[in-house]
Amino acid sequence: MLSTIAVTSLRELLRRRAALSLVTLLPLAFYAARIDLEGQAVRFLALGVGWAVATLALFSHVGSRHLDRRLAVVGASPTVLFAGRQIALIGTGLSIALVYLVLVSLTLDVPRLWSVGVLLATTVLVAAPLGAVVSLALPRELEGALALLAIMATQMLADPDGTLAKLLPLWSTRELTSYAVDPVGDDYLSRGLMHFAFVLVVCAVAAWAVAVARLRPQRLPAVSV
């Protein structure tokens, strides 16, 4: 069942070719706009990949809402439904990240190129459940996409050393970008991975819990005779 849900979700994403093309090209626009500044180019690329994957997750979970209800009625586990869609989204996101990692390797001389791969992978792993959380709070695609855009824009504009930036879900991109580009110590890598792990657990647990609560079987009222 898990693999069936993952494959079905992947097919649903591939059917939306226009939306898929637009959201996957957005990181390229961010990257090209800042390619003269190595650090900002890599960081904005990661945030663009995060927005793309979170938006795809939003579309996938909103579009499958009615189907998931029907599958839950016939006995499908809400946990399996949620996990299957997340697997498809993470697989798609990592494929996008791999393409952009190759692009960075060909266009920039990054001292720690492997950490750019870590940066893009951690961004994908956070963005997939983040999009699911937003889809559960805002059940319409337009409102959800605007909310994600507001989150990413605030993450870009907020002072990286300020409290607000650290409370946002992708603050780890700043620490991991500094580790990849600048001659800094391993403490940047440690702080980035710790922030990533915390946000991943919070987003994944929140999205899973709400999805299970939404799809749990409802008891029908007893019929009075």
Side-chain angles (χ1 to χ4, degrees):
M1 175 62 80
L2 184 65
S3 60
T4 301
I5 298 299
V7 171
T8 302
S9 301
L10 186 58
R11 287 175 178 169
E12 290 172 356
L13 288 174
L14 294 177
R15 285 195 192 102
R16 305 185 66 164
R17 295 185 182 88
L20 184 61
S21 300
L22 289 173
V23 297
T24 52
L25 287 176
L26 181 74
L28 179 61
F30 287 1
Y31 182 71
R34 289 290 182 174
I35 197 166
D36 54 326
L37 300 171
E38 193 173 68
Q40 290 195 19
V42 172
R43 181 164 177 260
F44 281 22
L45 172 65
L47 291 175
V49 169
W51 185 83
V53 175
T55 303
L56 290 176
L58 169 74
F59 289 174
S60 177
H61 283 275
V62 170
S64 63
R65 180 158 298 181
H66 296 297
L67 176 61
D68 284 355
R69 287 187 183 279
R70 290 197 294 270
L71 292 173
V73 168
V74 298
S77 165
T79 298
V80 170
L81 294 173
F82 173 76
R85 299 199 185 285
Q86 287 292 296
I87 289 172
L89 290 162
I90 290 172
T92 303
L94 291 178
S95 299
I96 296 171
L98 179 59
V99 171
Y100 280 116
L101 177 61
V102 173
L103 176 64
V104 172
S105 70
L106 295 175
T107 54
L108 292 179
D109 185 20
V110 179
R112 293 163 171 158
L113 182 62
W114 63 269
S115 60
V116 177
V118 174
L119 165 63
L120 294 175
T122 54
T123 301
V124 169
L125 292 174
V126 167
L130 175 64
V133 170
V134 173
S135 75
L136 296 170
L138 298 170
R140 294 184 179 179
E141 291 181 350
L142 177 59
E143 288 82 348
L146 291 175
L148 287 173
L149 185 60
I151 293 172
M152 296 303 170
T154 306
Q155 187 81 71
M156 287 183 179
L157 299 174
D159 179 5
D161 295 322
T163 302
L164 174 61
K166 295 175 183 176
L167 293 176
L168 294 170
L170 291 176
W171 179 77
S172 58
T173 59
R174 185 258 188 184
E175 298 297 277
L176 294 176
T177 300
S178 297
Y179 183 75
V181 175
D182 301 325
V184 298
D186 292 344
D187 53 323
Y188 280 77
L189 177 64
S190 301
R191 285 198 300 268
L193 292 178
M194 287 177 62
H195 187 274
F196 151 72
F198 175 77
V199 174
L200 174 63
V201 170
V202 170
C203 289
V205 170
W208 168 77
V210 177
V212 170
R214 181 169 56 85
L215 295 174
R216 73 181 185 280
Q218 301 291 324
R219 289 182 179 276
L220 296 175
V223 178
S224 58
V225 180

